[in-house]
Amino acid sequence: MSNRDEPDRSHPDDQLAEFEQRLKAKLDARSAEDRKYDRPSPSGWAVGLRYGTEFIVGVAVGAALGYLLDLALGSLPFGLLIGTLIGFGAGTMNVVRAAKEMGERATREK
Protein backbone atom coordinates (compact mmCIF):
# COMPACT_ATOMS: atom_id res chain seq x y z
CA MET A 1 0.00 0.00 0.00
CA SER A 2 1.53 3.27 -1.08
CA ASN A 3 0.88 6.66 0.38
CA ARG A 4 -0.46 8.99 -2.34
CA ASP A 5 0.51 12.18 -0.44
CA GLU A 6 4.26 11.67 -0.92
CA PRO A 7 5.82 12.46 -4.30
CA ASP A 8 7.06 9.65 -6.48
CA ARG A 9 10.81 9.69 -5.80
CA SER A 10 11.62 7.31 -8.59
CA HIS A 11 11.53 10.17 -11.09
CA PRO A 12 14.95 11.92 -11.47
CA ASP A 13 13.41 15.42 -11.56
CA ASP A 14 11.74 14.85 -8.20
CA GLN A 15 14.99 13.58 -6.72
CA LEU A 16 16.86 16.60 -8.05
CA ALA A 17 14.28 19.05 -6.71
CA GLU A 18 14.37 17.41 -3.29
CA PHE A 19 18.18 17.49 -3.28
CA GLU A 20 18.20 21.18 -4.24
CA GLN A 21 15.81 21.99 -1.39
CA ARG A 22 17.96 20.16 1.14
CA LEU A 23 21.13 21.78 -0.23
CA LYS A 24 19.62 25.27 -0.08
CA ALA A 25 18.51 24.71 3.51
CA LYS A 26 22.00 23.55 4.51
CA LEU A 27 23.69 26.47 2.73
CA ASP A 28 21.33 28.98 4.34
CA ALA A 29 22.02 27.50 7.77
CA ARG A 30 25.78 27.60 7.16
CA SER A 31 25.71 31.18 5.92
CA ALA A 32 23.69 32.24 8.98
CA GLU A 33 26.29 30.52 11.19
CA ASP A 34 29.16 32.22 9.33
CA ARG A 35 27.54 35.65 9.68
CA LYS A 36 27.35 35.13 13.42
CA TYR A 37 31.15 35.05 13.64
CA ASP A 38 31.92 37.81 11.12
CA ARG A 39 33.94 40.71 12.42
CA PRO A 40 32.60 44.20 11.89
CA SER A 41 34.34 46.26 9.25
CA PRO A 42 37.26 48.22 10.70
CA SER A 43 37.01 51.91 11.48
CA GLY A 44 38.99 54.59 9.69
CA TRP A 45 41.54 54.79 12.50
CA ALA A 46 42.14 51.06 12.40
CA VAL A 47 42.66 51.09 8.64
CA GLY A 48 45.05 54.03 8.81
CA LEU A 49 46.99 52.49 11.66
CA ARG A 50 47.34 49.23 9.76
CA TYR A 51 48.55 50.96 6.59
CA GLY A 52 51.01 53.11 8.52
CA THR A 53 52.37 50.16 10.47
CA GLU A 54 52.78 48.05 7.33
CA PHE A 55 54.74 50.84 5.64
CA ILE A 56 56.94 51.86 8.60
CA VAL A 57 57.86 48.27 9.44
CA GLY A 58 58.88 47.62 5.82
CA VAL A 59 61.15 50.67 5.74
CA ALA A 60 62.60 49.97 9.21
CA VAL A 61 63.42 46.33 8.41
CA GLY A 62 65.02 47.30 5.10
CA ALA A 63 67.12 50.02 6.76
CA ALA A 64 68.16 47.70 9.60
CA LEU A 65 69.25 44.96 7.20
CA GLY A 66 71.13 47.51 5.11
CA TYR A 67 72.88 48.85 8.20
CA LEU A 68 73.85 45.36 9.32
CA LEU A 69 75.23 44.71 5.85
CA ASP A 70 77.22 47.94 6.12
CA LEU A 71 78.69 46.85 9.44
CA ALA A 72 79.70 43.50 7.99
CA LEU A 73 81.23 44.94 4.80
CA GLY A 74 82.45 48.29 6.11
CA SER A 75 80.66 50.37 3.46
CA LEU A 76 78.56 52.50 5.78
CA PRO A 77 76.26 54.75 3.75
CA PHE A 78 75.62 52.52 0.75
CA GLY A 79 74.01 49.48 2.39
CA LEU A 80 71.85 51.71 4.54
CA LEU A 81 70.64 53.69 1.53
CA ILE A 82 69.97 50.61 -0.59
CA GLY A 83 68.28 48.82 2.32
CA THR A 84 66.07 51.84 2.97
CA LEU A 85 65.04 52.01 -0.68
CA ILE A 86 64.28 48.27 -0.74
CA GLY A 87 62.33 48.68 2.52
CA PHE A 88 60.38 51.56 0.97
CA GLY A 89 59.39 49.30 -1.91
CA ALA A 90 58.49 46.45 0.43
CA GLY A 91 56.44 48.77 2.65
CA THR A 92 54.58 50.11 -0.36
CA MET A 93 53.83 46.58 -1.56
CA ASN A 94 52.56 45.67 1.93
CA VAL A 95 50.19 48.65 1.95
CA VAL A 96 48.89 47.81 -1.52
CA ARG A 97 48.36 44.18 -0.51
CA ALA A 98 46.51 45.21 2.67
CA ALA A 99 44.31 47.66 0.74
CA LYS A 100 43.48 45.01 -1.85
CA GLU A 101 42.58 42.51 0.89
CA MET A 102 40.30 45.00 2.62
CA GLY A 103 38.67 45.93 -0.69
CA GLU A 104 37.95 42.29 -1.49
CA ARG A 105 36.46 41.81 1.98
CA ALA A 106 34.21 44.84 1.47
CA THR A 107 32.92 43.55 -1.87
CA ARG A 108 32.24 40.11 -0.38
CA GLU A 109 30.17 41.66 2.43
CA LYS A 110 27.84 43.46 0.00
Side-chain angles (χ1 to χ4, degrees):
M1 299 203 169
S2 66
N3 188 355
R4 300 270 180 201
D5 293 335
E6 291 187 16
D8 181 19
R9 290 197 176 117
S10 62
H11 196 269
D13 289 338
D14 292 339
Q15 291 175 346
L16 181 62
E18 182 182 348
F19 173 75
E20 286 176 348
Q21 285 178 336
R22 287 189 321 223
L23 180 64
K24 183 176 179 343
K26 291 282 186 181
L27 289 175
D28 289 343
R30 177 177 282 178
S31 110
E33 186 73 21
D34 288 345
R35 280 193 304 270
K36 184 168 67 171
Y37 295 109
D38 278 349
R39 294 182 294 193
S41 53
S43 68
W45 275 100
V47 171
L49 186 62
R50 179 175 179 188
Y51 291 167
T53 303
E54 295 273 353
F55 182 74
I56 295 297
V57 167
V59 173
V61 168
L65 290 176
Y67 183 72
L68 290 176
L69 187 65
D70 275 340
L71 290 178
L73 299 177
S75 60
L76 186 58
F78 299 110
L80 181 61
L81 289 173
I82 292 171
T84 303
L85 289 175
I86 291 173
F88 183 84
T92 303
M93 285 177 43
N94 286 341
V95 169
V96 169
R97 188 179 309 130
K100 193 180 297 185
E101 175 187 313
M102 293 179 112
E104 288 172 357
R105 181 186 303 170
T107 57
R108 271 186 282 149
E109 288 177 359
K110 288 184 178 181

XYZ file of all heavy atoms in Angstrom:
839
model
N 0.827 -1.159 0.000
C 0.000 0.000 0.000
C 0.886 1.242 0.000
O 1.695 1.414 0.881
C -0.883 0.033 1.221
C -1.800 -1.093 1.316
S -3.120 -0.556 2.339
C -4.193 -1.872 2.052
N 0.697 2.074 -0.973
C 1.532 3.271 -1.076
C 0.755 4.483 -0.595
O -0.468 4.553 -0.697
C 1.992 3.473 -2.508
O 0.879 3.763 -3.318
N 1.481 5.427 -0.092
C 0.881 6.662 0.385
C 0.854 7.650 -0.783
O 1.874 8.008 -1.330
C 1.694 7.201 1.552
C 1.015 8.372 2.220
O -0.027 8.856 1.755
N 1.594 8.826 3.306
N -0.314 8.119 -1.172
C -0.457 8.986 -2.341
C -0.038 10.438 -2.048
O 0.112 11.217 -2.965
C -1.910 8.976 -2.828
C -2.380 7.628 -3.231
C -2.085 7.435 -4.675
N -2.536 6.105 -5.076
C -2.089 5.489 -6.112
N -1.195 6.051 -6.852
N -2.526 4.304 -6.426
N 0.145 10.799 -0.770
C 0.507 12.177 -0.436
C 1.975 12.467 -0.723
O 2.348 13.601 -0.946
C 0.213 12.468 1.037
C -1.283 12.438 1.306
O -2.051 12.670 0.351
O -1.669 12.180 2.453
N 2.828 11.467 -0.677
C 4.258 11.667 -0.918
C 4.536 11.644 -2.415
O 3.903 10.904 -3.161
C 5.065 10.578 -0.222
C 5.026 10.685 1.288
C 5.969 9.684 1.935
O 6.839 9.145 1.240
O 5.822 9.470 3.140
N 5.506 12.459 -2.870
C 5.818 12.456 -4.300
C 6.518 11.160 -4.692
O 7.117 10.475 -3.871
C 6.768 13.653 -4.461
C 7.350 13.851 -3.116
C 6.315 13.402 -2.129
N 6.392 10.839 -5.945
C 7.055 9.650 -6.480
C 8.539 9.971 -6.631
O 8.937 10.752 -7.478
C 6.438 9.280 -7.834
C 7.076 8.037 -8.420
O 7.716 7.284 -7.648
O 6.948 7.834 -9.641
N 9.383 9.374 -5.810
C 10.814 9.689 -5.804
C 11.591 8.883 -6.822
O 12.803 8.976 -6.888
C 11.371 9.465 -4.408
C 10.852 10.495 -3.437
C 11.678 10.538 -2.187
N 11.191 11.595 -1.332
C 10.673 11.416 -0.140
N 10.552 10.215 0.358
N 10.256 12.438 0.553
N 10.911 8.097 -7.595
C 11.622 7.314 -8.592
C 11.943 8.162 -9.821
O 12.784 7.795 -10.617
C 10.800 6.088 -8.992
O 9.569 6.508 -9.568
N 11.289 9.297 -9.948
C 11.527 10.172 -11.093
C 12.752 11.053 -10.803
O 12.844 11.661 -9.737
C 10.284 11.039 -11.341
C 10.303 11.665 -12.696
N 10.860 12.891 -12.908
C 9.856 11.226 -13.902
C 10.762 13.201 -14.185
N 10.143 12.196 -14.812
N 13.718 11.151 -11.726
C 14.950 11.924 -11.474
C 14.695 13.402 -11.200
O 15.412 14.011 -10.407
C 15.759 11.759 -12.761
C 15.199 10.564 -13.443
C 13.786 10.432 -13.004
N 13.687 14.005 -11.810
C 13.415 15.423 -11.564
C 12.965 15.657 -10.124
O 13.321 16.659 -9.509
C 12.354 15.943 -12.529
C 12.884 16.065 -13.951
O 14.123 16.166 -14.106
O 12.064 16.063 -14.894
N 12.177 14.728 -9.588
C 11.736 14.847 -8.199
C 12.916 14.705 -7.245
O 13.016 15.430 -6.261
C 10.684 13.786 -7.872
C 9.372 14.030 -8.606
O 9.147 15.190 -9.023
O 8.591 13.074 -8.763
N 13.805 13.768 -7.555
C 14.987 13.583 -6.715
C 15.867 14.824 -6.744
O 16.382 15.255 -5.721
C 15.779 12.362 -7.176
C 15.088 11.052 -6.921
C 15.864 9.881 -7.506
O 16.764 10.062 -8.311
N 15.493 8.678 -7.095
N 16.029 15.407 -7.912
C 16.858 16.600 -8.053
C 16.246 17.777 -7.295
O 16.944 18.513 -6.602
C 17.033 16.953 -9.529
C 17.906 18.166 -9.828
C 19.324 17.944 -9.336
C 17.900 18.453 -11.314
N 14.944 17.944 -7.408
C 14.276 19.050 -6.712
C 14.403 18.887 -5.199
O 14.656 19.857 -4.481
C 12.813 19.114 -7.118
N 14.243 17.658 -4.726
C 14.368 17.407 -3.287
C 15.801 17.674 -2.817
O 16.026 18.280 -1.772
C 13.970 15.966 -2.972
C 14.038 15.647 -1.505
C 13.691 14.189 -1.221
O 13.187 13.508 -2.126
O 13.960 13.768 -0.086
N 16.773 17.253 -3.614
C 18.180 17.488 -3.278
C 18.478 18.989 -3.235
O 19.155 19.475 -2.328
C 19.095 16.793 -4.286
C 20.537 17.134 -4.099
C 21.259 16.582 -3.051
C 21.177 18.009 -4.955
C 22.575 16.905 -2.854
C 22.495 18.332 -4.780
C 23.210 17.780 -3.721
N 17.969 19.738 -4.201
C 18.202 21.180 -4.236
C 17.588 21.867 -3.019
O 18.188 22.790 -2.465
C 17.645 21.776 -5.526
C 18.478 21.448 -6.741
C 17.869 21.966 -8.027
O 16.677 22.388 -8.014
O 18.578 21.952 -9.037
N 16.428 21.412 -2.584
C 15.808 21.990 -1.390
C 16.657 21.722 -0.153
O 16.869 22.620 0.666
C 14.408 21.418 -1.188
C 13.375 21.964 -2.132
C 12.021 21.321 -1.903
O 11.932 20.214 -1.385
N 10.961 22.034 -2.294
N 17.126 20.499 -0.018
C 17.964 20.165 1.142
C 19.272 20.939 1.106
O 19.743 21.441 2.130
C 18.252 18.669 1.177
C 17.074 17.828 1.574
C 17.496 16.403 1.804
N 18.498 15.999 0.809
C 18.519 14.856 0.168
N 17.606 13.958 0.421
N 19.445 14.578 -0.712
N 19.877 21.048 -0.084
C 21.134 21.777 -0.226
C 20.956 23.250 0.113
O 21.761 23.842 0.832
C 21.675 21.619 -1.647
C 22.983 22.321 -1.947
C 24.105 21.740 -1.095
C 23.328 22.195 -3.416
N 19.879 23.855 -0.370
C 19.619 25.266 -0.080
C 19.418 25.477 1.421
O 19.921 26.458 1.985
C 18.401 25.749 -0.857
C 18.127 27.225 -0.664
C 16.983 27.678 -1.531
C 16.617 29.113 -1.387
N 17.047 29.870 -0.279
N 18.724 24.576 2.069
C 18.507 24.705 3.511
C 19.830 24.623 4.264
O 20.088 25.403 5.189
C 17.554 23.622 3.997
N 20.695 23.695 3.858
C 22.003 23.553 4.511
C 22.872 24.784 4.274
O 23.539 25.274 5.181
C 22.742 22.316 3.996
C 22.143 21.008 4.408
C 22.516 20.695 5.815
C 22.015 19.295 6.133
N 22.297 18.911 7.485
N 22.881 25.294 3.038
C 23.690 26.474 2.729
C 23.192 27.705 3.479
O 23.995 28.519 3.954
C 23.696 26.735 1.223
C 24.490 25.739 0.377
C 24.309 26.044 -1.101
C 25.952 25.753 0.753
N 21.878 27.857 3.588
C 21.328 28.981 4.344
C 21.713 28.888 5.818
O 22.069 29.892 6.441
C 19.814 29.035 4.202
C 19.368 29.458 2.808
O 20.203 30.012 2.061
O 18.182 29.225 2.479
N 21.646 27.680 6.369
C 22.024 27.498 7.771
C 23.505 27.800 7.971
O 23.894 28.449 8.948
C 21.705 26.071 8.224
N 24.341 27.357 7.042
C 25.782 27.598 7.164
C 26.093 29.085 7.025
O 26.904 29.625 7.752
C 26.561 26.816 6.119
C 28.053 27.110 6.198
C 28.825 26.304 5.234
N 28.972 24.966 5.762
C 29.579 23.987 5.138
N 30.061 24.187 3.938
N 29.692 22.800 5.681
N 25.439 29.761 6.100
C 25.714 31.183 5.922
C 25.246 31.977 7.139
O 25.891 32.944 7.534
C 25.091 31.671 4.628
O 24.032 32.494 4.808
N 24.142 31.576 7.757
C 23.694 32.238 8.984
C 24.706 32.008 10.101
O 25.008 32.921 10.878
C 22.323 31.709 9.394
N 25.271 30.826 10.174
C 26.289 30.516 11.188
C 27.565 31.315 10.934
O 28.178 31.839 11.864
C 26.588 29.009 11.160
C 27.517 28.548 12.248
C 26.865 28.520 13.616
O 25.632 28.469 13.688
O 27.600 28.560 14.611
N 27.951 31.450 9.673
C 29.156 32.217 9.333
C 28.973 33.698 9.653
O 29.893 34.358 10.118
C 29.509 32.053 7.855
C 30.059 30.670 7.543
O 30.421 29.946 8.489
O 30.112 30.328 6.344
N 27.786 34.237 9.389
C 27.540 35.651 9.683
C 27.609 35.942 11.174
O 27.936 37.035 11.588
C 26.180 36.069 9.135
C 26.188 36.367 7.656
C 24.910 37.071 7.230
N 23.703 36.353 7.564
C 23.104 35.464 6.784
N 23.618 35.174 5.611
N 22.000 34.860 7.170
N 27.320 34.940 11.976
C 27.349 35.130 13.417
C 28.772 35.434 13.897
O 28.968 36.174 14.851
C 26.808 33.873 14.103
C 26.697 34.009 15.605
C 25.895 32.881 16.226
C 26.588 31.563 16.112
N 25.938 30.502 16.875
N 29.772 34.876 13.220
C 31.153 35.053 13.642
C 31.916 36.091 12.828
O 33.109 36.269 13.017
C 31.901 33.717 13.567
C 31.368 32.715 14.540
C 30.640 31.613 14.101
C 31.549 32.872 15.894
C 30.138 30.689 14.991
C 31.041 31.958 16.801
C 30.342 30.869 16.339
O 29.841 29.968 17.218
N 31.251 36.773 11.905
C 31.925 37.809 11.115
C 32.317 38.968 12.010
O 31.582 39.359 12.916
C 31.009 38.327 10.009
C 31.025 37.429 8.788
O 31.888 36.548 8.726
O 30.167 37.618 7.917
N 33.489 39.526 11.701
C 33.936 40.710 12.423
C 33.348 41.942 11.743
O 33.169 41.963 10.534
C 35.455 40.806 12.391
C 36.117 39.683 13.155
C 37.579 39.858 13.126
N 38.013 39.690 11.727
C 39.255 39.530 11.359
N 40.209 39.543 12.246
N 39.572 39.375 10.094
N 33.093 42.969 12.521
C 32.601 44.197 11.892
C 33.712 44.831 11.057
O 34.898 44.600 11.292
C 32.226 45.074 13.084
C 33.024 44.553 14.220
C 33.212 43.079 13.956
N 33.337 45.619 10.087
C 34.340 46.263 9.255
C 35.118 47.263 10.107
O 34.574 47.917 10.986
C 33.693 46.937 8.060
O 32.672 47.788 8.478
N 36.422 47.373 9.863
C 37.261 48.221 10.704
C 36.959 49.702 10.510
O 36.513 50.134 9.447
C 38.677 47.886 10.246
C 38.534 47.318 8.888
C 37.188 46.671 8.840
N 37.240 50.471 11.555
C 37.015 51.910 11.480
C 38.141 52.576 10.697
O 39.146 51.955 10.359
C 36.951 52.494 12.890
O 38.231 52.410 13.499
N 37.981 53.852 10.428
C 38.995 54.591 9.690
C 40.332 54.628 10.408
O 41.395 54.518 9.785
N 40.298 54.775 11.729
C 41.541 54.793 12.498
C 42.255 53.455 12.397
O 43.493 53.408 12.273
C 41.265 55.099 13.966
C 41.176 56.557 14.245
C 40.034 57.295 14.387
C 42.259 57.466 14.376
N 40.352 58.597 14.607
C 41.712 58.743 14.618
C 43.631 57.327 14.322
C 42.494 59.862 14.805
C 44.419 58.458 14.514
C 43.854 59.702 14.742
N 41.525 52.386 12.471
C 42.144 51.057 12.403
C 42.787 50.825 11.041
O 43.889 50.274 10.951
C 41.103 49.979 12.694
N 42.119 51.260 9.987
C 42.662 51.091 8.638
C 43.929 51.927 8.475
O 44.961 51.447 7.988
C 41.607 51.480 7.578
C 42.212 51.520 6.198
C 40.441 50.510 7.617
N 43.882 53.168 8.903
C 45.053 54.034 8.808
C 46.213 53.523 9.627
O 47.376 53.571 9.194
N 45.927 53.035 10.814
C 46.990 52.488 11.664
C 47.620 51.258 11.027
O 48.848 51.083 11.061
C 46.415 52.149 13.040
C 47.409 51.704 14.103
C 48.398 52.820 14.398
C 46.677 51.315 15.369
N 46.793 50.413 10.420
C 47.344 49.226 9.765
C 48.225 49.613 8.584
O 49.321 49.091 8.418
C 46.226 48.307 9.285
C 46.773 47.094 8.578
C 45.742 46.101 8.176
N 46.409 45.008 7.479
C 45.766 44.053 6.866
N 44.461 44.012 6.875
N 46.428 43.116 6.233
N 47.754 50.541 7.749
C 48.551 50.963 6.594
C 49.868 51.594 7.039
O 50.924 51.310 6.479
C 47.780 51.959 5.731
C 46.601 51.391 4.981
C 45.678 52.228 4.398
C 46.413 50.021 4.844
C 44.586 51.737 3.701
C 45.331 49.520 4.150
C 44.423 50.381 3.581
O 43.362 49.879 2.894
N 49.799 52.462 8.025
C 51.013 53.111 8.522
C 51.997 52.117 9.106
O 53.209 52.201 8.865
N 51.497 51.173 9.866
C 52.368 50.162 10.472
C 53.003 49.289 9.399
O 54.205 48.997 9.466
C 51.556 49.288 11.450
O 50.965 50.135 12.428
C 52.432 48.267 12.126
N 52.228 48.876 8.421
C 52.775 48.051 7.333
C 53.917 48.784 6.628
O 54.959 48.196 6.338
C 51.686 47.715 6.309
C 50.565 46.860 6.814
C 50.842 45.386 6.722
O 51.866 45.004 6.144
O 50.023 44.614 7.249
N 53.727 50.082 6.368
C 54.738 50.837 5.643
C 55.983 51.080 6.500
O 57.109 50.840 6.056
C 54.151 52.177 5.172
C 55.121 52.978 4.370
C 55.421 52.603 3.078
C 55.739 54.082 4.904
C 56.334 53.316 2.329
C 56.648 54.818 4.175
C 56.945 54.433 2.884
N 55.805 51.540 7.730
C 56.936 51.858 8.604
C 57.765 50.618 8.909
O 59.004 50.673 8.914
C 56.438 52.523 9.910
C 55.810 53.878 9.603
C 57.549 52.661 10.925
C 56.758 54.890 9.003
N 57.122 49.496 9.146
C 57.862 48.265 9.435
C 58.678 47.840 8.222
O 59.839 47.418 8.364
C 56.900 47.147 9.902
C 57.572 45.796 9.905
C 56.360 47.467 11.277
N 58.118 47.965 7.024
C 58.881 47.618 5.823
C 60.130 48.462 5.670
O 61.223 47.959 5.406
N 60.000 49.766 5.866
C 61.149 50.672 5.742
C 62.162 50.393 6.850
O 63.375 50.350 6.601
C 60.686 52.145 5.761
C 61.873 53.091 5.811
C 59.820 52.441 4.549
N 61.687 50.198 8.081
C 62.599 49.966 9.205
C 63.377 48.663 9.042
O 64.584 48.617 9.308
C 61.812 49.953 10.518
N 62.726 47.618 8.601
C 63.419 46.335 8.411
C 64.440 46.454 7.283
O 65.582 45.968 7.409
C 62.408 45.197 8.150
C 63.102 43.937 7.663
C 61.616 44.906 9.406
N 64.076 47.110 6.202
C 65.024 47.300 5.104
C 66.228 48.103 5.540
O 67.376 47.766 5.221
N 66.016 49.190 6.284
C 67.124 50.025 6.763
C 67.999 49.251 7.742
O 69.232 49.351 7.690
C 66.577 51.290 7.409
N 67.376 48.475 8.633
C 68.157 47.705 9.604
C 69.020 46.651 8.910
O 70.193 46.470 9.259
C 67.220 47.049 10.617
N 68.454 45.960 7.927
C 69.251 44.963 7.200
C 70.378 45.622 6.409
O 71.493 45.099 6.348
C 68.346 44.144 6.281
C 67.376 43.190 6.966
C 66.482 42.513 5.939
C 68.119 42.160 7.790
N 70.093 46.780 5.818
C 71.135 47.510 5.106
C 72.244 47.963 6.043
O 73.435 47.889 5.706
N 71.881 48.425 7.226
C 72.879 48.854 8.202
C 73.729 47.671 8.670
O 74.945 47.793 8.807
C 72.190 49.537 9.386
C 73.149 50.075 10.404
C 73.918 51.198 10.126
C 73.304 49.462 11.643
C 74.803 51.698 11.052
C 74.187 49.956 12.574
C 74.938 51.073 12.277
O 75.836 51.556 13.198
N 73.089 46.556 8.922
C 73.849 45.364 9.317
C 74.791 44.920 8.207
O 75.922 44.480 8.476
C 72.894 44.230 9.697
C 72.111 44.422 10.991
C 71.124 43.275 11.187
C 73.055 44.520 12.180
N 74.360 45.034 6.986
C 75.229 44.713 5.853
C 76.406 45.680 5.786
O 77.546 45.280 5.508
C 74.419 44.746 4.557
C 75.129 44.283 3.293
C 75.465 42.799 3.402
C 74.267 44.544 2.078
N 76.142 46.954 6.076
C 77.221 47.937 6.125
C 78.233 47.604 7.208
O 79.446 47.732 6.994
C 76.663 49.336 6.397
C 76.212 50.032 5.145
O 76.662 49.630 4.057
O 75.410 50.973 5.257
N 77.763 47.195 8.368
C 78.687 46.848 9.444
C 79.541 45.648 9.066
O 80.728 45.592 9.406
C 77.921 46.559 10.740
C 77.257 47.763 11.413
C 76.509 47.290 12.657
C 78.282 48.824 11.773
N 78.949 44.698 8.377
C 79.698 43.497 7.994
C 80.709 43.796 6.890
O 81.813 43.251 6.891
C 78.733 42.405 7.539
N 80.357 44.663 5.945
C 81.228 44.937 4.803
C 82.062 46.205 4.966
O 83.013 46.415 4.205
C 80.401 45.038 3.517
C 79.618 43.799 3.114
C 78.797 44.074 1.875
C 80.552 42.625 2.897
N 81.710 47.057 5.896
C 82.449 48.287 6.115
C 82.171 49.360 5.075
O 83.025 50.207 4.822
N 81.021 49.360 4.478
C 80.662 50.369 3.458
C 79.445 51.149 3.945
O 78.361 51.057 3.384
C 80.354 49.680 2.138
O 79.273 48.788 2.301
N 79.666 51.957 4.977
C 78.565 52.503 5.777
C 77.408 53.159 5.024
O 76.291 52.715 5.199
C 79.094 53.461 6.845
C 78.031 53.972 7.816
C 77.347 52.833 8.513
C 78.645 54.911 8.799
N 77.521 54.135 4.204
C 76.262 54.749 3.753
C 75.529 53.960 2.669
O 74.320 54.081 2.527
C 76.704 56.113 3.221
C 78.098 55.918 2.779
C 78.677 54.885 3.723
N 76.242 53.129 1.921
C 75.616 52.520 0.745
C 74.611 51.423 1.092
O 73.521 51.368 0.536
C 76.689 52.000 -0.216
C 77.583 53.093 -0.713
C 78.902 53.169 -0.307
C 77.092 54.061 -1.557
C 79.718 54.186 -0.749
C 77.892 55.090 -2.009
C 79.219 55.159 -1.599
N 74.947 50.545 1.988
C 74.014 49.485 2.386
C 72.780 50.048 3.052
O 71.663 49.576 2.828
N 72.989 51.070 3.870
C 71.850 51.713 4.541
C 70.920 52.363 3.534
O 69.688 52.223 3.620
C 72.350 52.742 5.547
C 71.298 53.493 6.344
C 70.480 52.528 7.182
C 71.964 54.531 7.227
N 71.468 53.050 2.557
C 70.642 53.689 1.528
C 69.898 52.655 0.677
O 68.689 52.788 0.437
C 71.494 54.579 0.626
C 72.028 55.861 1.269
C 72.995 56.552 0.333
C 70.883 56.767 1.631
N 70.603 51.647 0.243
C 69.973 50.613 -0.587
C 68.924 49.850 0.219
O 67.822 49.587 -0.267
C 71.041 49.671 -1.174
C 71.881 50.447 -2.197
C 70.398 48.449 -1.817
C 73.095 49.698 -2.689
N 69.248 49.510 1.462
C 68.284 48.818 2.318
C 67.042 49.653 2.570
O 65.927 49.135 2.591
N 67.226 50.960 2.757
C 66.074 51.843 2.974
C 65.195 51.902 1.730
O 63.960 51.864 1.829
C 66.551 53.256 3.363
O 67.369 53.155 4.532
C 65.375 54.167 3.656
N 65.823 51.990 0.562
C 65.040 52.009 -0.683
C 64.292 50.692 -0.896
O 63.121 50.694 -1.304
C 65.944 52.305 -1.875
C 66.471 53.737 -1.954
C 67.458 53.871 -3.104
C 65.334 54.711 -2.104
N 64.951 49.580 -0.618
C 64.276 48.270 -0.737
C 63.145 48.173 0.284
O 62.051 47.673 -0.017
C 65.290 47.126 -0.592
C 66.210 47.106 -1.809
C 64.584 45.787 -0.419
C 67.357 46.132 -1.697
N 63.375 48.665 1.498
C 62.328 48.676 2.524
C 61.159 49.551 2.131
O 60.002 49.228 2.414
N 61.459 50.690 1.467
C 60.384 51.558 0.974
C 59.516 50.814 -0.028
O 58.286 50.865 0.031
C 60.995 52.814 0.332
C 59.991 53.809 -0.141
C 59.454 54.734 0.725
C 59.563 53.804 -1.460
C 58.517 55.654 0.293
C 58.631 54.720 -1.902
C 58.103 55.644 -1.024
N 60.150 50.088 -0.931
C 59.389 49.295 -1.909
C 58.584 48.195 -1.239
O 57.419 47.968 -1.580
N 59.206 47.522 -0.268
C 58.495 46.447 0.435
C 57.323 47.005 1.242
O 56.236 46.404 1.271
C 59.458 45.697 1.352
N 57.522 48.156 1.885
C 56.438 48.774 2.648
C 55.288 49.186 1.753
O 54.117 49.010 2.094
N 55.608 49.723 0.593
C 54.576 50.113 -0.365
C 53.794 48.891 -0.839
O 52.562 48.922 -0.934
C 55.205 50.847 -1.553
O 55.930 51.985 -1.062
C 54.153 51.302 -2.542
N 54.519 47.816 -1.132
C 53.827 46.585 -1.557
C 52.936 46.041 -0.452
O 51.833 45.537 -0.724
C 54.856 45.527 -1.981
C 55.471 45.814 -3.315
S 56.743 44.650 -3.828
C 56.069 43.077 -3.416
N 53.378 46.129 0.804
C 52.559 45.666 1.928
C 51.273 46.478 2.049
O 50.200 45.931 2.311
C 53.343 45.749 3.233
C 54.387 44.671 3.345
O 54.343 43.661 2.656
N 55.357 44.897 4.207
N 51.378 47.796 1.866
C 50.189 48.651 1.955
C 49.220 48.332 0.821
O 48.005 48.228 1.032
C 50.588 50.140 1.952
C 49.368 51.029 1.783
C 51.307 50.484 3.237
N 49.751 48.139 -0.386
C 48.886 47.808 -1.524
C 48.194 46.469 -1.291
O 46.996 46.310 -1.546
C 49.702 47.806 -2.837
C 48.905 47.202 -3.977
C 50.144 49.207 -3.184
N 48.941 45.499 -0.785
C 48.360 44.181 -0.509
C 47.272 44.278 0.556
O 46.201 43.666 0.432
C 49.460 43.226 -0.054
C 48.989 41.802 0.075
C 50.101 40.851 0.501
N 51.285 41.009 -0.341
C 52.527 41.183 0.136
N 52.744 41.215 1.436
N 53.549 41.287 -0.686
N 47.512 45.050 1.620
C 46.511 45.207 2.673
C 45.269 45.913 2.140
O 44.140 45.537 2.477
C 47.106 45.977 3.848
N 45.461 46.937 1.296
C 44.312 47.656 0.737
C 43.502 46.747 -0.175
O 42.259 46.782 -0.170
C 44.793 48.881 -0.030
N 44.182 45.933 -0.960
C 43.478 45.011 -1.852
C 42.677 43.993 -1.039
O 41.530 43.679 -1.366
C 44.489 44.296 -2.749
C 43.870 43.568 -3.908
C 44.901 42.881 -4.757
C 45.851 43.861 -5.392
N 46.787 43.230 -6.325
N 43.277 43.479 0.034
C 42.583 42.509 0.887
C 41.337 43.122 1.515
O 40.273 42.501 1.540
C 43.545 42.033 1.979
C 42.930 41.128 3.011
C 43.905 40.849 4.137
O 45.070 40.539 3.848
O 43.487 40.947 5.302
N 41.456 44.355 2.003
C 40.299 45.003 2.621
C 39.227 45.328 1.583
O 38.024 45.260 1.882
C 40.748 46.259 3.351
C 41.614 45.942 4.544
S 42.145 47.414 5.361
C 41.245 47.246 6.861
N 39.636 45.679 0.369
C 38.671 45.932 -0.694
C 37.916 44.680 -1.091
O 36.701 44.708 -1.314
N 38.616 43.558 -1.155
C 37.950 42.292 -1.488
C 36.981 41.892 -0.392
O 35.897 41.381 -0.669
C 38.988 41.193 -1.703
C 39.779 41.341 -2.983
C 40.928 40.350 -3.088
O 41.156 39.575 -2.120
O 41.588 40.351 -4.129
N 37.355 42.133 0.854
C 36.463 41.808 1.975
C 35.203 42.664 1.921
O 34.098 42.185 2.159
C 37.165 42.011 3.304
C 36.261 41.654 4.488
C 36.867 41.970 5.806
N 38.134 41.303 5.983
C 38.959 41.562 6.987
N 38.654 42.480 7.874
N 40.088 40.914 7.105
N 35.377 43.939 1.548
C 34.212 44.837 1.472
C 33.264 44.424 0.360
O 32.052 44.496 0.514
C 34.686 46.275 1.262
N 33.801 43.974 -0.779
C 32.919 43.550 -1.873
C 32.219 42.242 -1.542
O 31.103 42.013 -1.972
C 33.697 43.401 -3.189
O 34.770 42.475 -3.023
C 34.226 44.734 -3.660
N 32.880 41.370 -0.777
C 32.236 40.114 -0.376
C 31.094 40.362 0.586
O 30.114 39.626 0.609
C 33.244 39.185 0.301
C 33.977 38.294 -0.670
C 34.825 37.316 0.064
N 36.020 38.053 0.493
C 36.708 37.789 1.598
N 36.337 36.846 2.399
N 37.770 38.478 1.911
N 31.207 41.397 1.434
C 30.172 41.663 2.429
C 28.910 42.264 1.816
O 27.862 42.229 2.415
C 30.717 42.611 3.498
C 31.710 41.941 4.412
C 32.302 42.904 5.423
O 31.952 44.099 5.392
O 33.116 42.457 6.231
N 29.015 42.821 0.630
C 27.840 43.463 0.004
C 26.938 42.466 -0.645
O 26.948 41.432 -0.841
C 28.287 44.477 -1.033
C 28.873 45.693 -0.373
C 29.225 46.728 -1.394
C 29.775 47.954 -0.696
N 30.113 48.995 -1.603
